[in-house]
Amino acid sequence: MDLQTTIYIVVGLSFALYIGIAIWARAGSTSEFYAAGGSVPPVLNGMATAADWMSAASFISMAGLIANMGYGGGLFLMGWTGGYVLLAMLLAPYLRKFGKFTVPQFIGDRFYSKSASTVAVLCLLVASLTYIIGQMTGVGVAFSRFLGVSSETGIYVGMGIVFAYAVFGGMKGITYTQVAQYIVLILAYTVPAVFISLQLTGIPIPQLGLGGDFAGTDASLLAKLDQVVTDLGFGKYTTTTAGSTLNMFVYTMSLMIGTAGLPHVIMRFFTVPKVKDARSSAGWALIFIAILYTTAPAVAAMAKLNLHGTVNTAVKAGGDLYATEASLKHADRPDWMTRWEKTGLLKWQDKNGDGRIQYYNDATKNEAAKAKAAAAGWKGNELTVNADIIVLANPEIALLPNWVIALVAAGGLAAALSTAAGLLMAISAAISHDLVKGVIAPDISEKGELMTGKIAMAVSIVVAGWLGLNPPGFAAGTVALAFGIAASSLFPAIMMGIFSKKMNKEGAMAGMLAGLFVTLFYVFAHKGLFFIKGTGYLDLIGGPNSFFGITPEAFGAIGALVNFAVAFAVDKVTKETPAHIQQMVEAVRIPRGSKAVDGAH
């Protein structure tokens, strides 16, 4: 059976499974629509949470980012998994004990204000819509390559699939569909990694293969990779960092607290029966996530080695990479390169007219390497490889069986669709439950609220599709920006709502708005949305990364500090939190039966 037919069959079966589950688990009440009836077992909820969490960014982009960044890419592993520890220890049990459906509802009740709830809805919509751009883009990438359609058509198909199981099933349908999607995506990620680890190191466990010896040599896989990339003028794979140490630290913190503040992830902990199940769910989710996240560094390193091995025959032979015969004739390129060139995510530009593909770092500071390339008649790097294709193309580069390539296609789509559904659920709940029922029409019936939720979901799908079809100019960094927005706006408000019984509504609202504004300002100033004619947009903030070298994607942690500072400052000069709210916070946070330790018998 040819590759394209195999892909159609595997992806088609996975879609049929998702829709079948949605029909079986359709929601019949607002409780089932928003929180799956609060009846999901912790293990299944952990699996669904992992699928909800591991988006197209985790499945498609993360290994590509690590492959490009090397050691510095580890910040994504530390930030995203570390955030789950924060979530499990500091937020999930208390939010579940509070007994609400959504994050804005918690903020509205805790800060005794519909205005606070409305501000939280605003922050949620900005973060979720920013995040969803990346998911719809991922759907388009996967469809365009594997199903032979345009990315636009792929987004339309993805919208239809999500509509089928999210609008009718609500959180209940989404939860059980995400369990199936987790199984698909984790098999799709680990099976090719096992094959490739065996090829390159003879070790079937990728995590161990990463530290093993390169097949047929006494050198380790990482030492071989370091040799290859430095010979090509790139930085050493095992030591390259993401900017300054400060930026790497702040970036990691932004991802951590952004994880703990993402509303579509927090909502998952409202679906379990008991408070202790919320903490248990977070633990299971961390285990299920770790399976992929500990595999990602191996996938990244092995994919980078295979890519260089394809383009430069000298990589395999250990010869001189800066010789004309070491480059690959474009006419002799392998089939996988031909297929990916059609998507536009892999591009070749023949700068010196020799019909060959030269791949190296033409911006290197290594003068000897530059001189060698010039002597060979090279006019600059000719191959552009989008980081998003690393995972999806890896099985093709390694010449794995067709069914493995098809499985990866299904996994990439499962990752993007599962997170898109979770985000749409958060958006729908914020509009129908927090805005319509909570503010605009408090007396709406349960049937009316359920219908409003489904309409909000359908409209959200249309908006998400439009954003995927017309992404902003900085779409590549939208996922990291979404984490920064959640980190700077929602996370501090949730933390203060749980752990500061005296924080009042004025402080919370001022903090959320200040954190959101300063983060968006720093991001947009870098992206050119505040352009001043004749002076340049970066003059507003003093140049790129002007705040101690911190990049826009890492600025969420700084926005969170601004949020905390403004909130406590405003709290000091405004009216104190009512006594009954303070008592409620203590009741949520302090276990029943506890008392002060006074040494008395």
Side-chain angles (χ1 to χ4, degrees):
M1 190 181 299
D2 66 273
L3 174 60
Q4 199 61 50
T5 302
T6 306
I7 291 174
Y8 281 132
I9 291 173
V10 173
V11 172
L13 288 174
S14 70
F15 284 175
L17 175 64
Y18 306 153
I19 295 173
I21 291 173
I23 294 172
W24 166 75
R26 60 188 178 275
S29 67
T30 53
S31 176
E32 289 182 338
F33 188 80
Y34 294 128
S39 60
V40 182
V43 176
L44 292 184
N45 194 53
M47 201 175 290
T49 303
D52 201 354
W53 164 241
M54 291 190 295
S55 62
S58 290
F59 189 97
I60 297 175
S61 299
M62 184 172 63
L65 288 168
I66 297 173
N68 281 357
M69 297 170 66
Y71 168 77
L75 67 87
F76 294 99
L77 301 174
M78 295 184 290
W80 283 337
T81 52
Y84 254 94
V85 177
L86 285 179
L87 190 59
M89 300 301 293
L90 297 180
L91 302 183
Y94 305 114
L95 289 171
R96 177 60 186 85
K97 189 175 180 181
F98 202 89
K100 301 300 179 183
F101 286 150
T102 67
V103 170
Q105 189 181 10
F106 164 77
I107 290 175
D109 287 3
R110 161 58 186 88
F111 294 110
Y112 51 98
S113 169
K114 290 183 179 180
S115 296
S117 177
T118 303
V119 171
V121 169
L122 170 66
C123 297
L124 182 151
L125 292 176
V126 174
S128 298
L129 288 172
T130 304
Y131 200 168
I132 211 167
I133 296 170
Q135 309 317 307
M136 300 312 290
T137 302
V139 169
V141 169
F143 268 110
S144 66
R145 162 59 194 90
F146 291 113
L147 298 187
V149 298
S150 68
S151 60
E152 290 81 6
T153 301
I155 290 172
Y156 289 129
V157 175
M159 289 166 62
I161 298 296
V162 172
F163 183 92
Y165 70 79
V167 173
F168 298 109
M171 181 60 88
K172 186 179 179 183
I174 287 171
T175 295
Y176 291 104
T177 302
Q178 285 174 336
V179 171
Q181 288 169 329
Y182 174 78
I183 294 170
V184 171
L185 75 87
I186 204 65
L187 288 174
Y189 205 87
T190 55
V191 169
V194 169
F195 273 97
I196 294 169
S197 182
L198 276 170
Q199 282 183 353
L200 296 181
T201 67
I203 301 172
I205 302 175
Q207 293 89 335
L208 300 178
L210 181 63
D213 290 340
F214 189 65
T217 70
D218 293 329
S220 70
L221 178 78
L222 288 173
K224 179 67 176 176
L225 183 54
D226 271 343
Q227 175 201 337
V228 168
V229 296
T230 52
D231 284 348
L232 288 169
F234 296 99
K236 214 170 189 180
Y237 189 81
T238 53
T239 58
T240 302
T241 59
S244 67
T245 302
L246 175 63
N247 186 68
M248 193 167 180
F249 172 78
V250 174
Y251 205 152
T252 304
M253 284 299 300
S254 182
L255 294 176
M256 284 180 66
I257 62 178
T259 294
L262 280 175
H264 76 286
V265 176
I266 293 173
M267 282 184 70
R268 292 244 50 95
F269 299 105
F270 302 143
T271 65
V272 292
K274 299 187 290 292
V275 173
K276 71 174 186 178
D277 294 336
R279 197 185 301 275
S280 178
S281 290
W284 280 110
L286 196 56
I287 291 171
F288 292 130
I289 290 167
I291 296 172
L292 188 146
Y293 272 51
T294 57
T295 307
V299 171
M302 293 173 186
K304 194 171 186 75
L305 196 57
N306 275 335
L307 175 64
H308 287 313
T310 298
V311 179
N312 286 284
T313 55
V315 172
K316 298 176 183 177
D320 181 3
L321 292 169
Y322 287 100
T324 305
E325 62 270 19
S327 57
L328 176 73
K329 284 185 179 179
H330 187 254
D332 295 337
R333 68 195 186 285
D335 290 341
W336 75 265
M337 291 186 75
T338 304
R339 290 191 289 262
W340 278 101
E341 273 188 290
K342 292 177 182 177
T343 68
L345 299 174
L346 186 147
K347 299 177 182 177
W348 173 64
Q349 180 184 4
D350 193 2
K351 294 181 178 179
N352 62 352
D354 65 353
R356 307 179 75 91
I357 301 172
Q358 280 92 41
Y359 181 53
Y360 70 106
N361 180 18
D362 51 10
T364 181
K365 294 181 180 179
N366 186 329
E367 295 301 327
K370 283 185 175 180
K372 217 166 191 179
W378 294 3
K379 304 297 184 183
N381 177 56
E382 297 181 346
L383 186 67
T384 303
V385 182
N386 189 302
D388 285 347
I389 79 168
I390 289 294
V391 170
L392 298 178
N394 205 15
E396 297 178 80
I397 298 172
L399 302 177
L400 298 186
N402 286 350
W403 68 268
V404 178
I405 299 172
L407 185 61
V408 170
L413 291 167
L417 293 174
S418 63
T419 301
L423 289 164
L424 290 165
M425 185 70 246
I427 294 169
S428 170
I431 294 171
S432 61
H433 188 68
D434 300 315
L435 206 55
V436 175
K437 183 175 177 61
V439 179
I440 299 172
D443 297 328
I444 190 172
S445 66
E446 181 176 354
K447 184 177 180 181
E449 184 185 352
L450 185 61
M451 180 56 66
T452 302
K454 291 182 176 182
I455 293 171
M457 177 77 77
V459 173
S460 299
I461 290 172
V462 173
V463 173
W466 183 83
L467 288 171
L469 291 166
N470 302 279
F474 52 96
T478 51
V479 171
L481 296 177
F483 280 87
I485 292 167
S488 63
S489 59
L490 294 173
F491 174 77
I494 297 169
M495 284 290 291
M496 291 183 291
I498 295 171
F499 294 102
S500 176
K501 66 181 182 181
K502 292 191 175 182
M503 176 55 62
N504 63 19
K505 62 181 180 181
E506 291 85 2
M509 287 189 288
M512 283 189 287
L513 291 172
L516 179 65
F517 172 78
V518 73
T519 302
L520 291 179
F521 179 84
Y522 193 77
V523 169
F524 289 161
H526 276 81
K527 303 304 177 183
L529 300 189
F530 294 140
F531 187 82
I532 297 177
K533 187 175 181 181
T535 60
Y537 57 86
L538 289 175
D539 291 347
L540 284 172
I541 56 173
N545 307 336
S546 57
F547 190 81
F548 298 100
I550 295 173
T551 58
E553 292 79 7
F555 200 75
I558 306 302
L561 293 178
V562 171
N563 187 326
F564 280 117
V566 170
F568 281 107
V570 172
D571 176 67
K572 293 296 182 184
V573 297
T574 48
K575 191 175 179 180
E576 189 177 70
T577 301
H580 72 279
I581 296 293
Q582 296 188 40
Q583 292 167 5
M584 177 186 68
V585 174
E586 283 195 355
V588 168
R589 195 174 71 246
I590 299 173
R592 286 194 302 269
S594 63
K595 63 179 183 178
V597 178
D598 57 10
H601 292 287

